Amino acid sequence: IAGITQAPTSQILAAGRRMTLRCTQDMRHNAMYWYRQDLGLGLRLIHYSNTAGTTGKGEVPDGYSVSRANTDDFPLTLASAVPSQTSVYFCASSDEGGGVDEQFFGPGTRLTVL
Amino acid sequence: GQNIDQPTEMTATEGAIVQINCTYQTSGFNGLFWYQQHAGEAPTFLSYNVLDGLEEKGRFSSFLSRSKGYSYLLLKELQMKDSASYLCAVIASNYQLIWGAGTKLIIKP
């Protein structure tokens, strides 16, 4: 593994289903982030974690949950997917939290909720 | 509210120079990033400004004026591979990044 990986690459999901997007980094970064990117809008922060064992809410957290059991993994769960959650989801990491460090992004997961 | 404005799209010619502007109104300011994003790919870091002035890095330079809430990214000697979206992001007072919608740059031969 080099950098950040995300899985799956893309997914079509029926509304109401539960879905977990996976994110793993091998850079030993302390901070990790989940963003969604929608056409015509900037990246919007869903949840973040400044260090293993802690998480925080971003700008658009409703309908999503995260966990950070260890340094490397930061899964994002949609408990009951809705069509408005159709988006491209990017996981990112940085050496330290607080936003002042360069963020490294994974390749993204394209999610369609029908 | 918090807002970052960038032009939606710009067109330039290979070999030329282009300036992409970004204006921001945010609750606090702790720095500004520029990222490049090719279509269908992840954003990648270009530059970081926290003090007023110009930061130069090869063909790319970034300028910041905190009093004016303004930054620009300057790309020189444009190459076809520079065709991409350029994202401006501000570190707000809560230390979360606020992102602009991005400027799609089209390079013509």
Side-chain angles (χ1 to χ4, degrees), chain A residues 25 27 31 33 37 42 44 48 60 74-76 84 97-98 111 113:
Chain A
Q25 54 106 355
M27 296 176 283
Y33 313 85
Q37 187 175 40
R44 290 183 291 170
Y48 65 94
V60 289
F74 192 42
L76 176 74
S84 62
L111 182 67
V113 182

Side-chain angles (χ1 to χ4, degrees), chain B residues 13-18 59 75-80 82:
Chain B
T13 304
E14 189 176 16
I17 299 173
V18 70
R59 293 189 298 114
L75 292 73
K76 303 176 185 176
E77 302 169 13
L78 286 170
Q79 301 175 11
M80 297 303 293
D82 297 330

Side-chain angles (χ1 to χ4, degrees), chain B residues 7-102:
Chain B
T8 302
E9 187 174 295
M10 299 181 70
T11 302
T13 304
E14 189 176 16
I17 299 173
V18 70
Q19 178 176 310
I20 302 173
N21 295 325
C22 170
T23 58
Y24 61 88
Q25 301 91 39
T26 56
S27 57
F29 177 87
N30 292 293
L32 185 145
F33 287 98
W34 284 96
Y35 280 75
Q36 180 189 59
Q37 185 177 24
H38 285 101
E41 298 183 6
T44 55
F45 170 82
L46 285 178
S47 68
Y48 171 67
N49 294 72
V50 65
L51 299 176
D52 290 351
L54 188 68
E55 295 279 344
E56 297 186 78
K57 189 185 296 186
R59 293 189 298 114
F60 293 8
S61 303
S62 56
F63 171 84
L64 174 67
S65 169
R66 289 172 296 172
S67 63
K68 295 183 179 179
Y70 169 69
S71 174
Y72 67 73
L73 182 69
L74 191 71
L75 292 73
K76 303 176 185 176
E77 302 169 13
L78 286 170
Q79 301 175 11
M80 297 303 293
K81 68 179 182 179
D82 297 330
S83 292
S85 289
Y86 292 86
L87 314 181
C88 174
V90 170
I91 308 168
S93 59
N94 62 357
Y95 288 91
Q96 291 182 8
L97 282 180
I98 307 298
W99 295 79

Side-chain angles (χ1 to χ4, degrees), chain A residues 15-19 63 78-82 85:
Chain A
R17 297 298 293 268
R18 180 183 180 91
M19 175 74 191
L78 289 68
S80 179
V82 295
Q85 292 177 311

